[in-house]
Amino acid sequence: MSLTPHQEDLGVLRFITAGSVDDGKSTLIGRLLYDSKSVLTDQLSALARAKHKRTAGEDIDFSLLTDGLEAEREQGITIDVAYRYFTTARRKFIIADTPGHEQYTRNMVTGASTAHAAIILVDATRVTEVDGRTELLAQTKRHSAIVKLLGLQHVIVAINKMDLIDYSETAFDNIRAAYLELAQRLGLQDVRFVPVSALKGDNIVYASERMPWYQDEPLLDVLESLPVAQTGGELRFPVQLVARQDGSHADDFRGYMGRVESGSVRVGQSLRVLPAGRTATVAEIVGPRGQIEEAFAGQCVTIRLTEDVDVSRGDTFVGADSSLEPSRKLSADVCWFDEDALAPQRKYLLKQATSTVYVKIGSVDTVLDVSTLSHGTDKTTLAMNDIGRVQLSLQKPVAADTYDANPATGAFVLIDEATHHTVAAGMIRALAA
């Protein structure tokens, strides 16, 4: 695991674990942390004494490293998203251990929304044979469909509990073939497969001697080598806050605070302020440590303009030569979170970047059937955990991109005005004025 001279620090990788209940997601993450020497001695002692431990004797229940809620430990399931951090010689990792139960699919969407990669766990003992074909669980299909919708760059299929099927190469090949068929139907691109036993530690950090037929890398080596696409493209700077400093003085300071979501911005650059379309020039950029000449994607800065233009929270700075125009009509894929089904007559708020506007849901075009992966057109609403394509009309235009072009400005959430519940998360697929 040491860093050789020709290797480089590959930066931070954010990844999730997903799959059905009892596939072993929490155990896998616990084993990964333990075998990579990322667990402190006092944590190990506490785990050995844990009252909800589900292993015999002094054996460690690795799932308790991520199942932090009392209800999770009592029931043996993951409910909330658990974030864990660890570092190797090659890179830093942020793990989101997401729930497998269908009831908590919305929590899985939350964890996946900022990830670069997904580990989809498949319990090798729970796949079934239907007419001579290997059939995956419905929740495995659902999570894979969500991974595709959210545009995660990499998918690693960890075929778990190989110890319970005598490390069978034939079983691994059958499951691999079934998932490859699923990946082709969903349009997943970079898919890799690793046979593992999270409980025994096979192919997690160290290569397993019990599966000599598997000649590729163990899971950690795969994670360490995954490339992460850098955020580029055109400038998108949604304004979060207008900062004023003593407006009674002649040298009144007016700065616009926010995060550069994509591209870069520099002093002297010409901008357009959307949705109004006004033009202005960058006079000054202030970072956490003072003035800077240029800011890049991911940096939080304050921008001051040479012109005195009307700018408020929800506006977006783009380059003067950008072709982006404000949109009032959106076509989007949404995952419905709320227990109450979508109601066209109910008022919803759409929160996209830093803007919040009233929205009318015009129609539900299709709803994904996770069992068949077909997009049905017979439904007119969305129930909890449904994934569908909808048409939205906004009260006023917003500066947005399609999700494929820019996830930061192409994603949104819907909020019920009456209950203040976040009822859905969405990805914009098409825009119109």
Side-chain angles (χ1 to χ4, degrees), residues 1 118 158 187 189 193 217-218 225 254 307:
M1 297 298 169
Q189 298 298 319
F193 297 86
E217 297 175 317
S225 62
R254 184 194 297 264
E307 296 83 3

Side-chain angles (χ1 to χ4, degrees), residues 132-174:
R133 296 178 57 189
T134 301
E135 185 68 24
L136 302 171
L137 295 177
Q139 195 67 341
T140 302
K141 298 178 182 179
R142 183 189 302 274
H143 286 173
S144 299
I146 292 172
V147 164
K148 170 58 180 176
L149 284 174
L150 292 171
L152 272 65
Q153 300 170 26
H154 312 284
V155 176
I156 304 169
V157 182
I159 300 175
N160 193 24
K161 304 186 183 180
M162 293 296 295
D163 55 306
L164 299 182
I165 58 169
D166 296 324
Y167 301 99
S168 168
E169 181 181 5
T170 300
F172 170 79
D173 288 340
N174 290 340

Side-chain angles (χ1 to χ4, degrees), residues 70-117:
E70 185 72 10
E72 293 177 321
R73 297 186 176 210
E74 288 176 351
Q75 300 177 54
I77 64 172
T78 301
I79 296 173
D80 200 3
V81 180
Y83 290 96
R84 292 294 180 267
Y85 310 86
F86 76 103
T87 303
T88 67
R90 295 196 66 188
R91 79 185 327 164
K92 298 179 178 67
F93 297 92
I94 301 176
I95 314 168
D97 182 25
T98 64
H101 197 285
E102 180 179 351
Q103 179 181 350
Y104 304 112
T105 298
R106 52 193 173 184
N107 293 1
M108 181 266 175
V109 174
T110 302
S113 62
T114 58
H116 303 117

Side-chain angles (χ1 to χ4, degrees), residues 122 127-130 132-137 140-141 144 157 159 170-186 188 191 193 373:
V122 176
V127 296
T128 56
E129 294 292 326
V130 179
R133 296 178 57 189
T134 301
E135 185 68 24
L136 302 171
L137 295 177
T140 302
K141 298 178 182 179
S144 299
V157 182
I159 300 175
T170 300
F172 170 79
D173 288 340
N174 290 340
I175 297 171
R176 182 178 183 275
Y179 195 92
L180 280 174
E181 182 181 346
L182 171 66
Q184 184 176 12
R185 295 176 67 184
L186 291 174
L188 296 172
V191 182
F193 297 86
L373 298 181

Side-chain angles (χ1 to χ4, degrees), residues 1 10-17 28-29 32-33 36 86 88 90-95 116-121 154-158 190 192 194 196 203-205 214 217-228:
M1 297 298 169
L10 295 176
V12 178
L13 178 76
R14 302 176 67 104
F15 69 92
I16 66 162
T17 56
L28 180 141
I29 295 304
L32 183 62
L33 294 172
S36 62
F86 76 103
T88 67
R90 295 196 66 188
R91 79 185 327 164
K92 298 179 178 67
F93 297 92
I94 301 176
I95 314 168
H116 303 117
I119 299 176
I120 304 287
L121 269 84
H154 312 284
V155 176
I156 304 169
V157 182
D190 183 20
R192 309 166 192 227
V194 184
V196 303
N203 282 335
I204 304 298
V205 172
Y214 176 75
E217 297 175 317
L219 181 62
L220 182 58
D221 286 357
V222 174
L223 292 170
E224 284 187 324
S225 62
L226 288 180
V228 175

